[in-house]
Amino acid sequence: MPSAGHKYLPRHVQVLIAGGGPVGLAAAIELGRRGVDCLVVEPRVTVSRARPRCKTLNVRTMEHLRRWGLAGRLRERAPLPASWSQDVVFCTSLTGRELSRFTGVLGLVPDGSRFAEIGQQAPQYVLEEVLREAVEEIRPGRLVLGSRVVGVSQGDDLVTITVEHGAGQRTVVTADYVIGCDGPRSVVRDEIGARYVGGQALRPNFGMVFESPALWEHVAHGPAVQYWVVNATVPALVGPLDRTGTWWTIGFGVDRETGEHRARQIIDGVAGRPMEAKVLSTDPWTARMQIVDRMRHGRIFLAGDAAHLNPPFGGHGLNTGIGDAVDLGWKLAAVLKGWGGPDVLDSYESERRPVQERVISEATANMRVLSTELLTDNLEADDAAGAQARRAAGRRIQETKKAEFHSLDLVLGLRIPASPIVPVEPEGRQGTTWAGARLPHLFLEDGHSLYDLLGTDMTLLALGPDTSVAPVEEAARLRGVPLTVVRLSEPVAVEYAKLLGARLALVRPDQVVAWLGDEAPQDAVAIVDILIGDAQRSEKAFRSS
């Protein structure tokens, strides 16, 4: 069981993580797997099932879960197997007319070797429960529940954190670094003087979870992960949390007071008929498109919702936060283990901010057409006018909503545009399209994923038996960098080298290609110094020679 109470709080820890939601827990796993002593401080003693929030785990997040050995465990716990449905349906109600549908959505179907894991629909609480277990299994990671960070201050060498627990009791803990994963109301963000920049939508929304086992008997459109309901009574979005009658729904344009008063009418409007139902929870919200003006202050960092907020359409929010945790986790571990240089931590914001900004932009674009914008006359009429209205609605849906459900180019194609720890390649060099991008995935002849062969830290991928790796190995040894060498044999190596445009690739712990070449560089030490964030060391050595 995770710990609760001040007696479990250490006097000092290498990394303290404020907030034990999915992002904070992911950061703890990324750190703990590398032997970093970290502490997660979380106010909630138990994971709340009342508000499932995120429900889409994209293929990139599932690849990280695979790397942590947790993908199978998560899928076993998920109430909806990926095989159950890969469709999104647009309809006038669950019992009404179908307007259009998308199939093979959200990465829920395999696509050759393009990714190691398909996506997974799962309520956020399932992910949190799995990640909590994993943190407790990894020592020296610790999870302290029923406590919250209420104050943070830092000096040159340490951060001092005040943790509140019990009936107003407080304990002071010091840490080498702090990660604020404490959400939109982040105490850590406030303490470092960072603030959100951006705006928010004008229209409110009313989220709700309800129980109606009999509803499945009346659904006219078959299984789907989402149903977009287009009717004047309640333009809404609805979907199943399980196969036994627990549902989530969002009423667009419905404020808190109206939603609380009309909850049962919303359910009946989504269903298209009166239904026996029990409201389990409500969650009014308004979409925000915001990002902090800075994600770091000295030894303190922000990640997840504490750093950025976006509309939920497309399912990118939590997944982007997991990406933050992975990026920051391996970089902090590199510094704490002694092989990461000063530029490694500087690269966190320069690498993550462009990703976050693009995700906010894409999610905002997805929000421009919701059920409210698809309303038109005659959608349920039985005559020719009704058929014509439904065809027109179907065309508009396909034109405006496809990118929301088929977004693998966004999920897998994000590339670091500039970073102090990714070497700049000469203009026009073959293979540079992969530098700073996710290593293209490959299933090997034995069925294993190429990703399964990569090391915990840096990996040198050698394509072909005659490709020399000795200079890079020596440079890594000289700089104390943990390096795994993976050598692919022909004919796989030949084809993969053509794809990369190079026979050698240095791959970071987050599966991002850091450097490419056809042969080991003569300046291998200088290349390694850039990758580990210590380029000035080679520059100083060059100037003194």
Side-chain angles (χ1 to χ4, degrees), residues 6 9-12 16 39 150-151 153 159-165 169-175:
H6 66 281
L9 289 170
R11 296 182 63 182
H12 178 80
L16 185 141
L39 174 70
V150 294
S153 63
V159 184
T160 301
I161 307 102
T162 302
V163 179
E164 186 175 82
H165 46 83
Q169 301 178 61
R170 296 189 172 190
T171 299
V172 174
V173 179
T174 61

Side-chain angles (χ1 to χ4, degrees), residues 198-434:
Q200 67 179 49
L202 299 177
R203 183 167 53 196
N205 303 287
F206 188 79
M208 180 167 46
V209 175
F210 65 94
E211 191 175 62
S212 181
L215 182 53
W216 275 121
E217 301 173 11
H218 304 285
V219 174
H221 317 291
V225 295
Q226 295 178 14
Y227 303 87
W228 288 70
V229 174
V230 184
N231 68 48
T233 302
V234 53
L237 175 58
V238 63
L241 285 174
D242 55 36
R243 290 170 286 176
T244 59
T246 310
W247 300 78
W248 59 271
T249 188
I250 300 170
F252 299 128
V254 179
D255 60 26
R256 177 189 297 268
E257 183 177 354
T258 303
E260 298 286 359
H261 180 68
R262 296 183 57 231
R264 290 301 306 276
Q265 290 174 271
I266 293 173
I267 295 172
D268 290 347
V270 163
R273 55 166 290 159
M275 290 300 307
E276 289 292 327
K278 178 182 179 182
V279 176
L280 301 180
S281 66
T282 59
D283 184 20
W285 57 275
T286 301
R288 296 166 64 180
M289 298 75 76
Q290 298 174 335
I291 190 168
V292 289
D293 53 359
R294 58 174 172 165
M295 296 175 198
R296 178 190 182 186
H297 178 56
R299 293 175 171 269
I300 303 172
F301 299 82
L302 300 174
D305 285 353
H308 49 87
L309 298 167
N310 59 264
F313 307 107
H316 301 299
L318 179 144
N319 295 288
T320 305
I322 297 293
D324 297 344
V326 169
D327 184 279
L328 183 55
W330 79 259
K331 291 172 179 176
L332 279 171
V335 171
L336 288 165
K337 291 299 180 181
W339 60 269
D343 290 342
V344 164
L345 297 183
D346 288 340
S347 74
Y348 169 64
E349 181 164 354
S350 64
E351 292 189 2
R352 291 307 296 169
R353 181 176 289 276
V355 172
Q356 296 157 359
E357 288 175 340
R358 183 174 171 191
V359 165
I360 291 171
S361 176
E362 293 286 340
T364 303
N366 292 339
M367 187 173 63
R368 292 189 185 117
V369 177
L370 303 179
S371 299
T372 42
E373 283 69 50
L374 295 169
L375 288 172
T376 188
D377 294 335
N378 300 317
L379 286 178
E380 293 195 277
D382 291 326
D383 55 14
Q388 182 177 356
R390 289 188 288 276
R391 285 194 298 269
R395 286 193 297 269
R396 187 176 183 206
I397 289 164
Q398 291 294 322
E399 291 168 357
T400 60
K401 301 300 284 182
K402 181 179 179 180
E404 183 169 342
F405 310 115
H406 295 284
S407 58
L408 286 176
D409 288 343
L410 172 66
V411 172
L412 300 177
L414 291 169
R415 182 184 178 190
I416 299 166
S419 171
I421 62 171
V422 175
V424 177
E425 296 285 356
E427 190 69 26
R429 188 211 185 285
Q430 186 182 15
T432 55
T433 54
W434 294 107

Side-chain angles (χ1 to χ4, degrees), residues 113-135:
S113 279
R114 192 175 182 190
F115 37 83
E117 294 281 342
I118 62 172
Q120 177 67 56
Q121 291 290 296
Q124 182 172 318
Y125 55 74
V126 173
L127 176 63
E128 285 194 43
E129 289 167 353
V130 168
L131 296 183
R132 279 192 178 192
E133 292 173 6
V135 170

